[in-house]
Amino acid sequence: VSASGKASYDENDKAILMVGVTIDITEQKLLQQQKDEFIGIASHELKTPVTSIKAYTQVLERILTQKGDTREASMISKMDAQLNRLNSLIGDLLDVTKINSGRLQFNYTTFDFNHLITEVVEDLQRTTEKHNLIEDLQPTGFIHADRERISQVLVNFITNAIKYSPHTKNIIINTHLNNDEVVVSVQDFGIGISKEKQQRVFEQFYRVSGETQHTFPGLGLGLYISSEIIKREGGRIWVESEEGQGSIFYFSLPVRKPVDHNN
Ligand code: ADP
């Protein structure tokens, strides 16, 4: 921002100082805006054909299953799983552009927190045979938040726990109350994260090390989006981890009692 001053005179010949303020959008900022806009448009354009292909694969899978072509049906089902992955990558890119331009929207409802956890855990257990998702849920109660967005954070924690623990089986999902907040943790016994890198994992595009790209694919956006969601919901997000031992990812949210409209 730059300011410049210039003297002028009113009808009584009294000097008035005119101040002009110019907001200088630096070239870097402009580039960042253009990059965000491009990612937004590109991911939006990618979403449409993926949705259409997905609809066709589902019809095909049904037809093949009915015909008893189980081998072909299972190939189509694998295609569908990859399309889900593609959809979720595109969704992450769209969310990031929304966050960066302040357009991430929330739809609030009041819901039973542990119900949501069980729903997500059951869904994700179906996607893995190698891992055992263990629920350790203490009574929590109701929260007032965007259910879809909270579910998105949980999915991110659990899919990360699965991805980054290729040689261990158990993943423990705990919920408990801590004063006026509900706390969730997802613990794995996988590769872990060194102390100095733990704080950086919530940054946009941050991945612990470049060479893991081949072994553990990803864009480095999930935890950034999760932390933005939890911050907006008035909660906290953090990690405890030991390299080579595993990680525990946490988030907390303020508790709300369900509103009784009859009183
Ligand atoms: P992505 O998994 O797509 O790279 P995230 O934003 O979800 O992106 O995670 C950022 C980074 O944090 C990952 O690249 C990984 O290095 C590290 N990380 C996240 N979860 C775990 C975990 N459960 N165990 C070990 N490292 C993790």
Side-chain angles (χ1 to χ4, degrees), residues 160 163-164 188 193 201 206-208 218-220 222-223 247 249:
N160 275 349
K163 178 159 77 172
Y164 297 105
D188 67 64
I193 308 162
V201 294
Y206 184 79
R207 311 203 66 226
V208 163
L219 292 176
L223 288 177
S247 311
F249 276 86

Side-chain angles (χ1 to χ4, degrees), residues 89 92 156-165 186-194 197-198 200-209 212-213 216-226 239 241 246-249:
L89 290 172
D92 279 358
N156 180 235
F157 276 16
I158 300 176
T159 49
N160 275 349
I162 292 172
K163 178 159 77 172
Y164 297 105
S165 63
V186 176
Q187 177 172 23
D188 67 64
F189 302 89
I191 64 169
I193 308 162
S194 68
K197 296 191 172 142
Q198 285 171 24
R200 299 207 57 197
V201 294
F202 299 102
E203 290 172 14
Q204 192 175 162
F205 296 119
Y206 184 79
R207 311 203 66 226
V208 163
S209 79
T212 59
Q213 183 69 37
F216 305 110
L219 292 176
L221 290 177
L223 288 177
Y224 168 69
I225 296 168
S226 298
V239 59
S241 185
S247 311
I248 314 179
F249 276 86

Side-chain angles (χ1 to χ4, degrees), residues 16 47 52 84 94 125 138 170 175 178 201 236 250 263:
I16 315 167
K47 214 172 169 68
S52 158
N84 284 343
L94 274 172
Q125 184 63 76
Q138 316 292 322
N170 288 344
T175 59
N178 173 29
V201 294
R236 302 179 293 126
Y250 297 86
N263 285 324

